[in-house]
Amino acid sequence: MKEHARECNTEIQKHESVYVVSHIDADGLTSAGIICKALQRAGINYEMRFVKQLDDNIIEDIANINPQLAIFTDLGSGMLDSINANGINAIVSDHHQPRGEGKYHLNPHLFGANGSYQLSGSGTTYILANEIGQNTDLVDIAMVGAIGDMQHLKKGQLTGVNRLLLEEGVKNGHLSYAKDITLFGKQTRPVYKLLQFSSDPFLPGLSGDEDACIGFLHDMNVRFGGDERWRRWIDLESAEKQRIISGVMQHCIKSGLQPFKVERLIGEVYVLLNEREGTEMRDASEFSTLLNATARYDRAETGLAVCMGERGKAYEDAKKLLGEHRQNLVNGLKLVKENGITQLDHIQYFNAGNKIKETIVGIIAGMSITSAGRRDKPIIAFADSDDGVKVSARGTQDLIRKGLNLSQAMSDAAGFVNGAGGGHDIAAGATIPATGRNEFLNKLDEIIGSQFQKN
């Protein structure tokens, strides 16, 4: 990959300006941050564009702009034929399953690694950035992208090329990792909030119930801080943390939670040592959520600025967006629970219409599998969008082991109704015509059924 990244850099150095195109999720934002920082340091001018999904119309638009060189990050591998057909001089730095070929195509799948869990888009772009110049300090942003892309979930920790990059970051003093509780908000939330807002795993009798969580911690003999405020997880002593972890595990087992769900309470967590303790950026999981809260609300430039080191207004704006994002996720999950999830033979789905923003419906779908749906089927979510219907699909590692490949299934089913789709085996998306929803659902159900039968 480094050798091929070197060839890509040779092409980059021929040009005075570059047109960068990236995806709008945390992995896309960190990818953009890494490449833009590398170009900036190398004295190469760039123009940045974020897209929700790369399709023929956007590619034609880029061709009409006719940039000297376009760099696609965290997308492009599924649209190589279109990029080539439109005569765009392009470097594609991506980790999604490739379709077609490109001269300057950097993708882990081409080098024997799986882009779903062994290397993220930001990790791929980090490899490219280190051929452009000395950019090893950007490894922490690459790991934020990997966590945002859920690359650690399959094995409970980062593996493959991600692991090599992580160890490099640790060696250079940019990162640390340790086994810890995996609940969200260790840097910034009062301890009871970690329990109250836990959705994966859903903690019976605790998740969603503030009073129950506070009572539980009192029973665990966890004290308030000196100013009578709850301390955060990072404020607790080791013995207190151990008490809480043991207590939560025992509570979950008594409540009948399956052992594999209880085990997910503990995992590897990743700390960015160059960031201030007690901020969202200190923890890779919190940082990725902060970024998700920007671009998904049409504020990608805010997330990009934070990725590139801006800690003033951009960070404050991002925090405000994060508050709104969290509330929207709560409201979206409530809507799904109230309206219910429709079951087909091999899939389950809900239609959010215009009630849930298309940019967050995939996140809510993932949360809904645990809290409102069934874990033995992938979940499909529909939301209205400007160019038709946005479809988001989420699976589980258990379903992957049974043969599920959502990237292939979504691509084929969307193509069947003149739409376009793709992504990863565990998470994929598509855009389809509004009139093709039922036909799409039936086809997708059939395709996924055949995937399970083949295994």
Side-chain angles (χ1 to χ4, degrees):
M1 280 193 79
K2 283 183 175 179
E3 281 177 23
H4 190 53
R6 212 162 292 144
E7 293 171 22
C8 294
N9 176 51
T10 301
E11 181 61 27
I12 291 170
Q13 299 298 336
K14 294 176 186 174
H15 304 283
E16 293 176 0
S17 69
V18 171
Y19 193 78
V20 180
V21 184
S22 196
H23 195 213
I24 65 158
D25 61 4
D27 196 20
L29 278 167
T30 49
S31 299
I34 289 165
I35 197 68
C36 291
K37 197 75 175 175
L39 293 169
Q40 187 184 75
R41 288 172 173 174
I44 299 169
N45 294 321
Y46 65 87
E47 186 179 339
M48 185 70 233
R49 177 173 181 174
F50 288 99
V51 298
K52 293 173 185 173
Q53 191 170 323
L54 194 61
D55 58 27
D56 289 325
N57 291 335
I58 290 170
I59 290 170
E60 283 172 22
D61 189 39
I62 294 166
N64 290 334
I65 294 166
N66 195 24
Q68 295 178 30
L69 176 69
I71 300 180
F72 294 89
T73 63
D74 193 38
L75 40 66
S77 289
M79 298 297 288
L80 291 165
D81 290 341
S82 184
I83 291 168
N84 295 336
N86 280 277
I88 299 171
N89 183 28
I91 287 167
V92 174
S93 174
D94 192 10
H95 67 131
H96 296 96
Q97 292 185 350
R99 292 187 180 83
E101 292 181 4
K103 186 177 180 184
Y104 300 113
H105 182 206
L106 195 65
N107 186 307
H109 288 280
L110 304 178
F111 300 90
N114 189 312
S116 289
Y117 65 96
Q118 292 181 317
L119 189 65
S120 63
S122 53
T124 304
T125 305
Y126 171 75
I127 291 170
L128 175 60
N130 272 307
E131 297 305 322
I132 297 172
Q134 176 58 256
N135 291 297
T136 53
D137 60 318
L138 302 180
V139 68
D140 53 0
I141 299 295
M143 295 301 97
V144 171
I147 298 303
D149 205 57
M150 312 294 186
Q151 298 253 323
H152 58 306
L153 291 186
K154 187 178 180 76
K155 306 281 187 181
Q157 62 182 38
L158 291 172
T159 58
V161 189
N162 282 323
R163 195 82 193 170
L164 300 178
L165 301 184
L166 171 66
E167 296 293 358
E168 185 181 289
V170 170
K171 184 181 167 188
N172 292 332
H174 301 303
L175 292 159
S176 72
Y177 62 88
K179 290 278 187 195
D180 202 347
I181 198 164
T182 54
L183 301 184
F184 181 84
K186 291 183 287 295
Q187 291 287 328
T188 56
R189 285 178 167 174
V191 179
Y192 73 87
K193 292 280 186 190
L194 264 68
L195 305 178
Q196 182 185 348
F197 291 109
S198 177
S199 61
D200 186 20
F202 185 85
L203 308 176
L206 293 175
S207 292
D209 190 334
E210 180 177 302
D211 291 340
C213 294
I214 291 172
F216 174 82
L217 291 170
H218 274 305
D219 292 344
M220 290 289 110
N221 198 25
V222 176
R223 61 183 173 79
F224 284 98
D227 59 359
E228 291 307 305
R229 289 185 181 174
W230 279 100
R231 291 174 297 157
R232 300 160 300 179
W233 187 259
I234 56 169
D235 300 322
L236 300 182
E237 293 164 12
S238 180
E240 291 176 303
K241 290 180 180 178
Q242 194 53 56
R243 251 195 338 266
I244 293 170
I245 290 170
S246 298
V248 171
M249 285 186 152
Q250 286 169 17
H251 169 85
C252 288
I253 290 165
K254 281 179 189 169
S255 303
L257 202 66
Q258 292 163 292
F260 75 87
K261 289 184 181 178
V262 178
E263 284 167 14
R264 284 212 301 274
L265 281 165
I266 299 297
E268 209 167 69
V269 299
Y270 307 93
V271 175
L272 281 66
L273 298 176
N274 300 328
E275 300 293 347
R276 195 159 53 87
E277 193 170 55
T279 65
E280 287 85 358
M281 285 87 66
R282 182 81 171 179
D283 177 272
S285 176
E286 289 192 60
F287 198 155
S288 70
T289 302
L290 182 80
L291 295 177
N292 267 328
T294 62
R296 292 175 189 272
Y297 298 91
D298 305 316
R299 295 285 298 278
E301 70 289 342
T302 300
L304 178 63
V306 173
C307 283
M308 293 180 72
E310 158 70 73
R311 293 292 177 268
K313 185 176 185 306
Y315 169 51
E316 291 304 320
D317 288 348
K319 281 209 296 185
K320 284 179 193 164
L321 289 164
L322 178 59
E324 293 171 20
H325 177 58
R326 284 176 174 154
Q327 190 56 53
N328 287 338
L329 292 182
V330 169
N331 294 344
L333 199 55
K334 187 179 175 189
L335 182 81
V336 174
K337 284 180 177 175
E338 285 173 357
N339 292 350
I341 295 171
T342 305
Q343 303 292 329
L344 298 183
D345 290 342
H346 309 290
I347 62 176
Q348 53 189 329
Y349 73 93
F350 65 88
N351 180 14
N354 62 2
K355 300 286 196 308
I356 297 175
K357 199 171 169 64
E358 55 160 311
T359 50
I360 65 166
V361 74
I363 301 174
I364 290 167
M367 293 165 72
S368 296
I369 278 194
T370 304
S371 58
R374 291 170 48 171
R375 287 188 61 88
D376 59 347
K377 297 177 185 177
I379 191 164
I380 317 299
F382 296 95
D384 296 346
S385 72
D386 293 339
D387 48 358
V389 173
K390 167 75 187 292
V391 193
S392 292
R394 297 291 184 270
T396 65
Q397 292 299 341
D398 288 341
L399 293 172
I400 302 302
R401 284 189 281 273
K402 290 177 183 174
L404 179 69
N405 185 332
L406 284 173
S407 174
Q408 192 66 54
M410 290 285 277
S411 175
D412 292 349
F416 186 70
V417 294
N418 298 318
H424 300 303
D425 51 7
I426 197 166
T431 303
I432 62 169
T435 54
R437 190 185 350 249
N438 289 339
E439 209 176 346
F440 169 85
L441 272 171
N442 291 332
K443 189 66 179 174
L444 187 65
D445 194 42
E446 177 191 316
I447 292 168
I448 288 173
S450 67
Q451 287 180 349
F452 289 151
Q453 283 171 2
K454 281 178 190 169
N455 206 40

